Amino acid sequence: MSFISEVESSIRVLFDATSKGFQMDPGTGFNQIDNWIQHLRSIDQPVLRPIVTELETLRGHINNNNAAAMAQSFQTLGELTAQSALTTHSFKGEGDKAREISQKLITAAGNLRHIAKMPAQH
């Protein structure tokens, strides 16, 4: 599985976990984020450093189970991902995939904002 495919799958896993308020285990979110951080650090590109920083911020919001803050982090990650793709143009389609991931992150942010406004269900 390519890293891009893994990220797309991870966004869904993260969203599913966050939308349920981590009733199961926040470790699911931590594992996904930690994998992204490790991979992006190994690339060691300056344009990716703000993304790593925001992923670390998101990890803290997950730890605090703060859906509104998680939504903001997803939004920021989407915007940073789009910015990182601005200069990526290749026949492999990496820039296009990064832009697609950006859209998925921003969509997840919007969905989390909606969930954050909903009263907690018991």
Side-chain angles (χ1 to χ4, degrees):
M1 177 184 286
S2 75
F3 180 67
I4 296 289
S5 297
E6 185 178 322
V7 168
E8 289 175 320
S9 173
S10 294
I11 291 169
R12 186 71 214 174
V13 168
L14 266 174
F15 176 75
D16 288 345
T18 55
S19 68
K20 293 176 184 156
F22 293 106
Q23 295 167 357
M24 296 170 200
D25 178 14
T28 301
F30 294 153
N31 291 339
Q32 300 298 321
I33 291 170
D34 291 345
N35 287 339
W36 294 355
I37 290 171
Q38 181 181 6
H39 181 78
L40 294 175
R41 280 190 179 146
S42 73
I43 297 172
D44 194 31
Q45 292 291 321
V47 72
L48 299 177
R49 290 182 190 134
I51 295 172
V52 170
T53 300
E54 191 60 37
L55 284 167
E56 291 166 341
T57 299
L58 175 60
R59 198 178 195 288
H61 297 320
I62 290 170
N63 190 50
N64 296 327
N65 200 15
N66 184 338
M70 285 185 264
Q72 183 55 53
S73 281
F74 270 85
Q75 179 74 36
T76 301
L77 285 167
E79 292 168 3
L80 290 170
T81 301
Q83 289 172 2
S84 73
L86 286 175
T87 59
T88 305
H89 303 286
S90 70
F91 288 111
K92 294 180 185 177
E94 286 133 358
D96 293 336
K97 290 304 280 181
R99 285 181 276 281
E100 185 178 328
I101 287 171
S102 168
Q103 291 171 346
K104 288 179 181 185
L105 285 163
I106 290 170
T107 298
N111 290 336
L112 278 171
R113 279 190 192 93
H114 177 71
I115 289 165
K117 292 178 183 177
M118 294 174 63
Q121 296 178 354
H122 298 283

